Amino acid sequence: MIGTAWCLLSVGLLCAACNSGAPEPASVEISSRQIRLTIVRMATDPFLSRHSLTLSVTGVTGGQSCSASTELFPDTGYAGRRNVYLTTNGSLYVVGQFDARVIDMHSCRISLSEFRHLQREVVFVGSFDEDADHRWTYIPSRERPEQPLDKRT
């Protein structure tokens, strides 16, 4: 009887420490650009902090609905944060530690960009990141200032 209880407790603790394989979407609507950004995070390892990330954009451009999506550089250990910036030419940047995406709503495209080609005069809008409870979410700039993209421990 004690052995069974110990076994059930051990399995329960082990499962509590596991990552869920369920998709974790986080979204933001940027009304000034009539678009919605969503990044879906999905665990790729049951025990380690490893996740795939998929960026999706939906909106309206030229009176037509628009949608695009792309895989982002994976979160290979507490490097999943993505900062969102608005540029002076109306594009959006989604910038991670290892990749930067440019969202051009005029052509409804998401493109990979080298960091050196990004405009420097941008406005920080918010971040896709884990909250205090380790849940994937969007955190607007009014709730938290821009955070660096260096690896967290």
Side-chain angles (χ1 to χ4, degrees), residues 28-31 33-38 56-68 92 103-106 108-109:
V28 60
E29 300 235 8
I30 301 176
S31 56
R33 297 289 177 252
Q34 295 185 319
I35 69 167
R36 178 181 188 82
L37 301 178
T38 301
S56 299
V57 179
T58 56
V60 176
T61 180
Q64 301 289 330
S65 59
C66 160
S67 65
L92 285 168
I103 301 167
D104 180 357
M105 286 306 296
H106 300 297
C108 195
R109 291 183 18 167

Side-chain angles (χ1 to χ4, degrees), residues 77-102:
Y78 303 103
R81 178 184 302 129
R82 294 301 192 272
N83 288 339
V84 180
Y85 302 92
L86 183 60
T87 69
T88 56
N89 69 2
S91 294
L92 285 168
Y93 293 160
V94 177
V95 180
Q97 183 176 354
F98 302 110
D99 62 346
R101 305 297 167 136
V102 177

Side-chain angles (χ1 to χ4, degrees), residues 4 13 18 39-40 45 47 56-57 72 82 87 128 130 133:
T4 303
L13 290 174
C18 294
I39 297 181
V40 178
D45 187 286
F47 303 107
S56 299
V57 179
L72 301 176
R82 294 301 192 272
T87 69
F128 289 93
E130 288 185 342
D133 296 322

Side-chain angles (χ1 to χ4, degrees), residues 120-141:
R120 298 293 170 226
E121 298 298 319
V122 294
V123 175
F124 174 68
V125 178
S127 295
F128 289 93
D129 200 359
E130 288 185 342
D131 63 14
D133 296 322
H134 301 287
R135 289 184 302 245
W136 186 244
T137 190
Y138 176 79
I139 305 166
S141 61

